[in-house]
């Protein structure tokens, strides 16, 4: 019974997010998107689903993350939501790997690295600073320690360090995990950006590149065998970029049948990944995610090009950074009105759906009026 309920609520949250974005589509909220262009809209769609998966993952654990354990809710069996978080992060890393290796291939390894890093800063830093400033303000309001102001200031500075300055951050006795736990992935992104120039240099020396590739492959196998690892999904994206730029593998004509079958295949694979009992970051899941992602890049399933999903993908970074803040604010506000430890299943699921809805709508505005303002400069 719980299995059916959790899948049903998962579907309800997806439908809610899609419905909100369909309303935004009707008013052409993102008027900068040219749907007649040659953009990778299927990539926006899977990015939107990945962001939504992460949001739903943290939504169901928002009560526990903010100090409440409803007696009637058994979070131990929320495997579909836990796997949603894993799957979302893995898809994000695959997308990053694809986009930049695709650029390397298309430009024949001729990248303007100054422009590249400037674009990365404009893409990641402004929204991060805004989200982190909110985290810092809430942390000061909710902390009740007695430490010195100098120590508190040093800890606050750590929050702005993209987690390079510390992983488990406490400020004046308050752990920021409930507000910014997701930033653990950002150092991987920055390290990947920094190593790209090295990779491009190695590509010019084929023997050295092949040798380095074999070492990286063996290192990846070791990491996948011995523990949880995420950086290998950059390789999944790189493999997809090679497939995307191989003329012999390019579809000459995409039929309706191919579109329908590929769309259903993606849905079935995602359902399996969400409900299977495979290790969250193990070798088997890496193989499945890699095949799925290459399949998406190759066949460009039509379902992923739906405009509401493209809209979800457009606001994915805002959604990624802000959803935990939304969760904490809503949960703490509700706790002042009722005892959340005694929340009924109905109240619990209504709150979860509201968290998804609020995050979806709010981050559409933060993307348009904050992120995009910097991106178009």
């Amino acid at each position: 019974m719980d299995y059916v309920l959790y899948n049903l609520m998962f579907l309800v949250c997806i439908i809610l997010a899609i419905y909100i974005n369909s309303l935004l589509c009707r008013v052409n909220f993102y008027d900068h998107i040219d749907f007649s262009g040659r953009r990778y809209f299927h990539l926006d769609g899977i990015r939107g689903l990945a962001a939504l998966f992460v949001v739903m993952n943290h939504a169901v654990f928002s009560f526990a993350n903010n100090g409440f354990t409803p007696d009637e809710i058994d979070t131990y069996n929320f495997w579909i939501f836990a796997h949603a978080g894993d799957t979302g992060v893995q898809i994000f890393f695959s997308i990053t790997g694809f986009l930049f290796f695709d650029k390397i291939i298309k430009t024949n390894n001729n990248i303007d690295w100054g422009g590249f890093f400037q674009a990365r800063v404009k893409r990641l830093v402004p929204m991060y600073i805004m989200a982190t400033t909110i985290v810092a303000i809430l942390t000061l309001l909710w902390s009740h320690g007695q430490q010195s102001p100098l120590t508190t200031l040093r800890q606050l500075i750590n929050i702005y360090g993209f987690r390079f300055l510390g992983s488990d951050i406490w400020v004046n006795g308050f752990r920021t995990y409930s507000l910014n736990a997701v930033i653990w992935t950002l150092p991987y992104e920055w390290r990947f950006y920094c190593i790209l120039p090295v990779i491009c240099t190695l590509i010019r020396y084929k023997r050295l590149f092949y040798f380095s590739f074999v070492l990286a492959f063996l290192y990846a196998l070791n990491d996948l065998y011995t523990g949880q690892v995420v950086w290998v999904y950059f390789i999944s994206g790189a493999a997809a970029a090679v497939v995307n730029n191989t003329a012999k593998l390019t579809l000459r004509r995409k039929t309706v049948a191919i579109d329908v079958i590929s769309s259903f295949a993606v849905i079935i694979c995602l359902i399996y990944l969400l409900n299977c009992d495979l290790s969250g970051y193990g070798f088997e899941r890496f193989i499945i995610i890699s095949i799925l992602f290459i399949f998406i890049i190759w066949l460009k399933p039509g379902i992923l090009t739906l405009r509401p999903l493209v809209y979800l993908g457009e606001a994915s970074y805002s959604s990624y950074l802000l959803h935990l803040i939304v969760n904490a604010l809503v949960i703490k506000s509700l706790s002042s009105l009722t005892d959340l430890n005694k929340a009924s299943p109905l109240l619990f699921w209504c709150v979860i759906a509201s968290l998804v809805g609020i995050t979806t709508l709010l981050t559409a505005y933060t993307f348009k009026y904050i992120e995009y303002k910097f991106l178009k400069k």
Side-chain angles (χ1 to χ4, degrees):
M1 181 61 184
D2 286 346
Y3 172 83
V4 175
L5 174 63
Y6 298 160
N7 277 273
L8 178 61
M9 291 309 304
F10 197 90
L11 180 61
V12 167
C13 289
I14 290 177
I15 292 173
L16 175 61
I18 290 176
Y19 176 70
I20 291 171
N21 277 282
S22 68
L23 296 178
L24 295 174
C25 288
R26 290 181 187 178
V27 298
N28 195 27
F29 189 72
Y30 295 147
D31 54 10
H32 63 279
I33 299 179
D34 178 11
F35 282 97
S36 64
R38 301 185 63 183
R39 175 169 162 168
Y40 290 144
F41 290 111
H42 58 296
L43 207 60
D44 290 311
I46 193 62
R47 181 193 286 116
L49 282 177
L52 186 56
F53 284 1
V54 174
V55 169
M56 289 191 288
N57 164 250
H58 289 118
V60 295
F61 295 109
S62 58
F63 280 69
N65 288 340
N66 289 280
F68 301 99
T69 53
D71 298 331
E72 298 184 50
I73 304 299
D74 181 14
T75 58
Y76 181 78
N77 291 318
F78 282 170
W79 287 110
I80 181 174
F81 295 95
H83 287 322
D86 300 337
T87 303
V89 168
Q90 290 152 7
I91 290 173
F92 273 134
F93 276 70
S94 298
I95 291 172
T96 298
F98 168 79
L99 287 174
F100 295 107
F101 277 100
D102 187 59
K103 186 178 182 67
I104 289 171
I105 295 171
K106 281 183 165 50
T107 61
N108 196 26
N109 195 13
N110 186 22
I111 306 290
D112 172 13
W113 292 112
F116 169 81
F117 283 107
Q118 183 181 34
R120 291 299 85 206
V121 169
K122 289 196 296 183
R123 178 71 180 92
L124 297 179
V125 174
M127 193 63 217
Y128 180 82
I129 291 176
M130 192 206 85
T132 302
T133 300
I134 296 173
V135 170
I137 292 171
L138 293 177
T139 296
L140 291 175
L141 291 174
W142 293 342
S143 62
H144 303 290
Q146 303 297 322
Q147 64 187 26
S148 69
L150 185 60
T151 302
T152 299
L153 178 61
R154 179 181 59 79
Q155 293 169 338
L156 284 173
I157 292 174
N158 286 351
I159 298 178
Y160 287 90
F162 278 94
R163 210 167 182 178
F164 283 108
L165 302 177
S167 55
D168 191 13
I169 303 173
W170 292 74
V171 177
N172 198 26
F174 179 84
R175 190 186 186 198
T176 64
Y177 181 85
S178 63
L179 297 172
N180 65 353
V182 293
I183 65 172
W184 69 270
T185 64
L186 297 182
Y188 288 95
E189 294 271 346
W190 282 111
R191 291 183 187 114
F192 175 72
Y193 301 148
C194 290
I195 204 173
L196 272 179
V198 178
I199 294 174
C200 286
T201 301
L202 290 174
I203 290 174
R204 294 191 176 97
Y205 303 93
K206 289 188 176 181
R207 289 185 180 180
L208 186 58
F209 173 72
Y210 292 144
F211 177 72
S212 301
F213 178 81
V214 170
L215 288 180
F217 181 74
L218 293 174
Y219 185 54
L221 288 179
N222 178 72
D223 275 6
L224 285 166
Y225 180 76
T226 58
Q228 293 190 348
V229 59
V230 294
W231 68 268
V232 293
Y233 290 93
F234 291 131
I235 298 177
S236 306
V242 172
V243 170
N244 188 58
N245 288 277
T246 301
K248 292 181 180 179
L249 297 176
T250 303
L251 287 178
R252 300 303 179 189
R253 191 168 70 90
K254 186 179 178 184
T255 65
V256 174
I258 291 176
D259 206 25
V260 172
I261 293 171
S262 62
S263 295
F264 271 107
V266 169
I267 292 172
I268 291 170
C269 188
L270 288 175
I271 291 174
Y272 173 74
L273 285 168
L274 295 173
N275 288 278
C276 69
D277 59 357
L278 297 177
S279 172
Y281 287 91
F283 182 77
E284 296 90 347
R285 182 173 286 271
F286 168 69
I287 295 298
I288 296 172
I289 288 284
S290 298
I291 293 174
L292 171 64
F293 189 74
I294 292 171
F295 180 84
I296 289 172
I297 295 300
W298 180 41
L299 293 181
K300 304 174 179 60
I303 193 171
L304 296 178
T305 64
L306 293 175
R307 294 192 179 194
L309 289 182
V310 173
Y311 268 44
L312 269 175
E314 194 75 340
S316 60
Y317 186 54
S318 280
S319 176
Y320 193 73
L321 290 179
L322 294 178
H323 71 278
L324 285 174
I325 297 172
V326 170
N327 292 354
L329 287 170
V330 171
I331 295 298
K332 287 189 177 294
S333 297
L334 285 175
S335 68
S336 65
L337 302 175
T338 184
D339 184 359
L340 294 182
N341 289 313
K342 297 180 180 179
S344 66
L346 177 60
L347 175 60
F348 178 84
W349 289 112
C350 284
V351 171
I352 300 312
S354 70
L355 293 176
V356 173
I358 293 170
T359 297
T360 300
L361 186 59
L362 173 67
T363 54
Y365 280 88
T366 57
F367 171 80
K368 181 171 183 176
Y369 295 109
I370 298 177
E371 276 192 79
Y372 188 64
K373 296 296 184 183
F374 288 91
L375 290 176
K376 68 179 183 180
K377 287 183 177 180

